Amino acid sequence: MKRTNFQVLTMSACLLAFGLLSGCRKSQPEPSDVANAAELADDTVAVPMAADRLFDDFFFNFSTNERLQRQRIHFPLPVFDAEGTRMQIERSEWNVDPFFMEDGLYTLIFDNPAQMEAARDTSLTKAVVERINLDAGFVSQYDFEREDGCWMLTTIHHQLMKDNHNSSFLDFYQRFSTDSLFQVQSLNHRVTFTTVDPDDELETISGTMEPGQWDTFRPSVVPSNTIYNIVYGEPLPEGRNKLFVIHGIADEEETQLTFSLRQNKWKLMSFSN
């Protein structure tokens, strides 16, 4: 059982609510009329500088604070469809998006454990939040950039899942998340695991299991349909290993599943929860 970044953020939200008195205040273009000017003034939210240092800190507040979300978007917001056609969303047309906050969990995809450290990089200037609709084979990418110390949503790109930098793994995971027989077929001949001791939930047990033991030891939650990913910095070409992380938002649960591409087939090598 591990405490995740967003779980720590949940506890610090109350502190941030009382700390919106100083810090990063992003200037906006002048509205063209008095009504818009009044609306913009009402929506202005000052955010502590600390909340912009780490993207995860910022994004928690962006997803849960309607006024802040509207403030931190470049309007009119450019939106590109899967064919590259440009559209735009005006300020008045924007519907507040809670992203994964209402799901109770979120997911991340890394090529290796070292990539996880990028989430703690205070010099980061770009991040992409990906909403992945596995059933539809469709990905929406929300591009954020840090400008003058403030994180801003600058563009949305829609793409087919086959064009995503994790396309091979996502195609595999779509079936893995919904097909219990395929899950067993996708296990390595030996899978190492660490999980909660069924006799003492405060302790963990570790070992190896064979595919026939999957029903006994498998993680209780394997998200399907719509999942998320956050790319910290520039996306890299798809590697042969994937660390799939499932974070609980309100609780302290975290599950990590490690997959490797073996003879052109993704195999689950290990997991912990």
Side-chain angles (χ1 to χ4, degrees):
M1 303 263 275
K2 304 177 182 178
R3 185 176 300 275
T4 68
N5 289 344
F6 274 93
Q7 290 153 10
V8 174
L9 291 171
T10 301
M11 292 185 294
S12 63
C14 293
L15 296 177
L16 287 175
F18 290 103
L20 302 179
L21 300 177
S22 62
C24 180
R25 185 185 295 275
K26 184 66 180 178
S27 61
Q28 294 278 3
E30 287 296 323
S32 58
D33 56 70
V34 175
N36 284 343
E39 179 187 3
L40 183 58
D42 288 342
D43 279 352
T44 300
V45 179
V47 179
M49 290 295 292
D52 272 286
R53 292 184 64 214
L54 294 177
F55 179 75
D56 285 359
D57 289 4
F58 158 76
F59 190 70
F60 174 86
N61 288 280
F62 181 86
S63 301
T64 57
N65 188 317
E66 177 178 344
R67 293 172 61 198
L68 175 64
Q69 186 171 129
R70 292 184 182 279
Q71 180 188 341
R72 293 301 187 87
I73 299 175
H74 273 313
F75 291 114
L77 179 65
V79 180
F80 295 87
D81 67 16
E83 297 179 350
T85 302
R86 186 184 190 277
M87 301 166 285
Q88 65 183 31
I89 299 176
E90 300 293 341
R91 178 182 175 84
S92 60
E93 299 171 327
W94 178 258
N95 294 317
V96 175
D97 193 335
F99 294 90
F100 47 69
M101 291 301 173
E102 295 180 347
D103 298 337
L105 58 82
Y106 67 102
T107 57
L108 296 170
I109 305 171
F110 301 101
D111 288 333
N112 53 65
Q115 284 186 356
M116 299 176 69
E117 296 303 312
R120 301 178 178 87
D121 185 357
T122 58
S123 66
L124 200 68
T125 59
K126 180 177 181 179
V128 180
V129 176
E130 298 183 313
R131 177 186 281 125
I132 304 163
N133 189 318
L134 297 168
D135 293 344
F138 195 75
V139 181
S140 296
Q141 296 179 315
Y142 297 79
D143 299 338
F144 291 85
E145 295 184 15
R146 189 157 64 173
E147 304 172 353
D148 300 325
C150 300
W151 283 104
M152 300 287 296
L153 174 60
T154 59
T155 319
I156 299 176
H157 288 88
H158 299 299
Q159 64 177 187
L160 299 179
M161 199 165 71
K162 67 181 182 63
D163 297 325
N164 187 263
H165 57 106
N166 283 319
S167 59
S168 172
F169 177 75
L170 293 176
D171 184 60
F172 156 80
Y173 182 79
Q174 189 278 331
R175 184 177 177 187
F176 181 88
S177 64
T178 57
D179 188 333
S180 58
L181 178 59
F182 184 68
Q183 288 178 5
V184 175
Q185 295 171 345
S186 301
L187 303 181
N188 192 39
H189 66 283
R190 289 280 185 178
V191 177
T192 59
F193 69 92
T194 300
T195 190
V196 176
D197 187 338
D199 297 324
D200 185 351
E201 62 180 18
L202 297 179
E203 300 294 332
T204 60
I205 57 174
S206 300
T208 60
M209 52 158 278
E210 298 178 355
Q213 299 172 293
W214 177 244
D215 284 343
T216 302
F217 294 104
R218 67 181 178 182
S220 59
V221 177
V222 179
S224 60
N225 189 16
T226 299
I227 62 173
Y228 285 83
N229 184 38
I230 300 177
V231 180
Y232 301 94
E234 296 291 341
L236 299 174
E238 186 167 30
R240 299 181 62 85
N241 299 295
K242 294 296 174 188
L243 178 59
F244 187 77
V245 183
I246 306 167
H247 289 284
I249 294 176
D251 54 33
E252 297 185 0
E253 293 186 1
E254 175 181 300
T255 299
Q256 297 184 6
L257 299 94
T258 302
F259 298 87
S260 292
L261 195 59
R262 300 290 178 89
Q263 298 180 335
N264 293 321
K265 293 183 178 180
W266 287 101
K267 295 289 185 178
L268 177 66
M269 310 301 293
S270 65
F271 69 91
S272 64
N273 64 348

